[in-house]
C-alpha cells in the first residue's frame, strides 16, 4: 500500500470549513483514498473514500487532484464535535482487507 | 441500530494472566478484524477473519490468538499479557466483496498490572 503524509496538527475555527491535506505521491492506479477519523477514546469512524473523482457525502467532501498524488478532505462547517484525529489511508479497496493507518492529523476546532 | 459491540470497555489483568476480549456485531458482516492501538499511536492490524478463514499479520506476536465461533462473535485471547500489551483493542467489521469500508467498535482498553 502507498504511504501517506499528513500534517501533524491543525486548528480550525468553529463554523468555518476545515481543509485537511494528504499527500500520497506513490499511489497506484487501482488504489483508493480513504478517510477515517477517531474522536478521543472512541473507535475510528469511516468518513469517505474515492478513486479518481471528487466525492461528497453528508459528512464531508473529498477532492482528489488529477494526478491523484494528493487529496483534501473538506468538512464544510466544522463543529466542536469534529475535533478528532483524521487518518488518510491509501488502500487497494475492493478485494483488499487491510487498512494501514498513518500518524494522522489532529484537528482541533476552536470555539 | 446495527453495530459493533465490544465488552468490556475496560479490562484490567495481571502480568502473565490470560485475558479474553470479546466483540460482537449485528451487521452480519463476513469480515472481522482486531487492531491494537497503543497510547498516541495509530491502530495496527493484528489479524482478521474472512468468514472462517483466519489471516494473521506477519508481525503479530504468538501471544495473541483469536477465535470466531460464528458470524456474530470474535474473541481476542492474550495468553500471557506483558506490560507492553497495555493498549486499546479495536474490533472492526466489513462486508466483502460489496465494500471494504470498516466499521469499528468503541474499543476495549486493557491495563496490565
Amino acid at each position: 500500500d502507498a504511504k501517506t503524509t499528513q500534517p501533524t496538527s491543525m486548528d480550525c475555527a468553529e463554523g468555518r470549513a476545515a481543509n485537511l491535506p494528504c499527500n500520497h505521491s506513490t499511489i497506484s492506479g487501482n488504489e483508493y483514498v480513504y478517510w477515517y477519523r477517531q474522536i478521543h477514546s472512541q473507535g475510528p469512524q469511516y468518513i469517505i473514500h474515492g478513486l479518481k473523482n471528487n466525492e461528497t457525502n453528508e459528512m464531508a467532501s473529498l477532492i482528489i487532484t488529477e494526478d491523484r498524488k494528493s487529496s483534501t478532505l473538506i468538512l464544510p462547517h466544522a463543529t466542536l464535535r469534529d475535533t478528532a484525529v483524521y487518518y488518510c489511508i491509501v488502500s487497494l479497496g475492493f478485494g483488499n482487507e487491510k487498512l494501514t493507518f498513518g500518524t494522522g492529523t489532529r484537528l482541533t476546532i476552536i470555539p | 441500530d446495527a453495530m459493533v459491540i465490544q465488552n468490556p470497555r475496560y479490562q484490567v489483568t495481571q502480568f502473565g494472566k490470560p485475558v479474553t476480549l470479546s466483540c460482537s456485531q449485528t451487521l452480519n458482516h463476513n469480515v472481522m478484524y482486531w487492531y491494537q492501538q497503543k497510547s498516541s499511536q495509530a491502530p495496527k492490524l493484528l489479524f482478521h477473519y474472512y468468514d472462517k478463514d483466519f489471516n494473521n499479520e506477519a508481525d503479530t506476536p504468538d501471544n495473541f490468538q483469536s477465535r470466531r465461533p460464528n458470524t456474530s462473535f470474535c474473541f481476542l485471547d492474550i495468553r500471557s499479557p506483558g506490560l507492553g500489551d497495555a493498549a486499546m483493542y479495536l474490533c472492526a467489521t466489513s462486508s466483502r466483496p460489496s465494500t471494504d469500508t470498516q466499521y469499528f467498535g468503541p474499543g476495549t482498553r486493557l491495563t496490565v498490572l
Side-chain angles (χ1 to χ4, degrees):
Chain A
D1 290 343
K3 292 188 176 179
T4 61
T5 304
Q6 299 177 253
T8 302
S9 63
M10 293 180 64
D11 293 340
C12 178
E14 187 179 16
R16 304 296 294 270
N19 296 273
L20 292 92
C22 179
N23 286 322
H24 32 80
S25 58
T26 60
I27 193 170
S28 63
N30 56 350
E31 287 183 313
Y32 288 75
V33 180
Y34 283 80
W35 284 84
Y36 284 75
R37 73 179 183 184
Q38 188 172 25
I39 296 170
H40 183 62
S41 294
Q42 297 184 22
Q45 176 191 23
Y46 166 80
I47 301 173
I48 198 167
H49 75 282
L51 181 63
K52 296 180 184 177
N53 300 322
N54 298 336
E55 302 288 344
T56 296
N57 63 20
E58 65 278 3
M59 289 184 68
S61 294
L62 174 60
I63 309 298
I64 303 174
T65 58
E66 192 169 343
D67 64 6
R68 303 208 325 121
K69 293 184 177 181
S70 65
S71 60
T72 301
L73 178 74
I74 301 172
L75 308 177
H77 304 287
T79 71
L80 298 179
R81 286 178 290 183
D82 293 322
T83 293
V85 177
Y86 287 76
Y87 295 101
C88 169
I89 301 165
V90 171
S91 173
L92 285 172
F94 183 83
N96 182 44
E97 307 88 356
K98 188 171 180 177
L99 291 178
T100 302
F101 287 81
T103 53
T105 295
R106 182 172 298 278
L107 176 67
T108 302
I109 307 301
I110 309 297
Chain B
D1 288 343
M3 57 198 313
V4 182
I5 302 161
Q6 290 189 246
N7 285 309
R9 292 294 311 277
Y10 300 91
Q11 176 75 54
V12 179
T13 190
Q14 291 180 331
F15 182 93
K17 184 175 181 181
V19 65
T20 295
L21 309 181
S22 72
C23 175
S24 64
Q25 53 128 342
T26 59
L27 298 161
N28 202 33
H29 283 173
N30 54 354
V31 188
M32 295 187 75
Y33 309 79
W34 280 103
Y35 289 82
Q36 179 192 63
Q37 185 174 26
K38 295 187 177 180
S39 181
S40 301
Q41 296 183 19
K44 180 177 180 296
L45 182 64
L46 294 173
F47 29 56
H48 74 275
Y49 274 94
Y50 181 16
D51 292 325
K52 294 183 179 181
D53 293 333
F54 178 70
N55 298 271
N56 199 28
E57 292 299 300
D59 56 355
T60 298
D62 293 340
N63 199 26
F64 292 86
Q65 304 286 322
S66 186
R67 296 172 283 135
R68 188 179 186 187
N70 54 52
T71 300
S72 301
F73 285 87
C74 195
F75 300 99
L76 170 62
D77 300 309
I78 308 176
R79 293 191 295 187
S80 181
L83 298 179
D85 296 327
M88 174 78 84
Y89 289 89
L90 295 161
C91 174
T93 72
S94 69
S95 180
R96 290 185 62 202
S98 56
T99 177
D100 284 300
T101 299
Q102 293 189 17
Y103 297 86
F104 285 80
T108 294
R109 184 167 297 283
L110 177 69
T111 300
V112 182
L113 300 177

